[in-house]
Amino acid sequence: MIDKLLFIPPLAFILILTVSFILSAISSKLAFKTKDQSDEKKSCYACGEDIPKHRMQPEYTQFFHFAFFFTVMHVFVLIIACVPKLSIGFGNIALFFLVALSGLLILFRD
């Protein structure tokens, strides 16, 4: 009975999430902590020069557009590939295609 309960996805997710939080709490208690948390130790240092802050922050806006597009397309293809041939209707395919098309529009809206 219990072994079947563990394979129910929401219960398995809650159980894994609970175990993860417990392990995170235990590992944060065991982690080494320094007493000196000054700003000078946290600042970047490169060959004796101060690095400007804007050079340390890379630009990811284009990356997120492409990542979103590929995520939408992968989910679209996965759904189309996994649904049995007889159970999928034209409406479902049109809906999936519309979602994938919206991903394309978000990608190229600029």
Side-chain angles (χ1 to χ4, degrees):
M1 179 72 181
I2 286 185
D3 59 338
K4 290 184 180 182
L5 284 176
L6 291 177
F7 289 111
I8 297 173
L11 291 178
F13 175 73
I14 290 171
L15 180 67
I16 290 171
L17 190 65
T18 304
V19 170
S20 299
F21 279 128
I22 290 170
L23 287 176
S24 176
I26 290 171
S27 61
S28 67
K29 294 285 183 187
L30 295 175
F32 179 74
K33 294 178 180 138
T34 59
K35 293 180 181 177
D36 187 20
Q37 294 290 331
S38 64
D39 289 336
E40 192 152 323
K41 281 202 163 202
K42 293 178 184 176
S43 65
C44 295
Y45 179 78
C47 299
E49 298 178 8
D50 290 332
I51 301 174
K53 293 229 180 223
H54 67 278
R55 292 179 70 192
M56 294 185 297
Q57 297 173 346
E59 180 70 24
Y60 288 120
T61 55
Q62 290 294 323
F63 169 74
F64 288 126
H65 289 156
F66 284 103
F68 179 74
F69 171 71
F70 281 109
T71 301
V72 167
M73 293 308 287
H74 281 136
V75 170
F76 173 71
V77 169
L78 184 67
I79 289 172
I80 294 297
C82 293
V83 172
K85 188 175 181 180
L86 298 176
S87 68
I88 192 165
F90 179 73
N92 290 336
I93 290 176
L95 178 67
F96 295 147
F97 186 73
L98 191 65
V99 170
L101 191 63
S102 68
L104 273 173
L105 289 176
I106 289 172
L107 179 66
F108 295 112
R109 70 179 172 185
D110 290 334

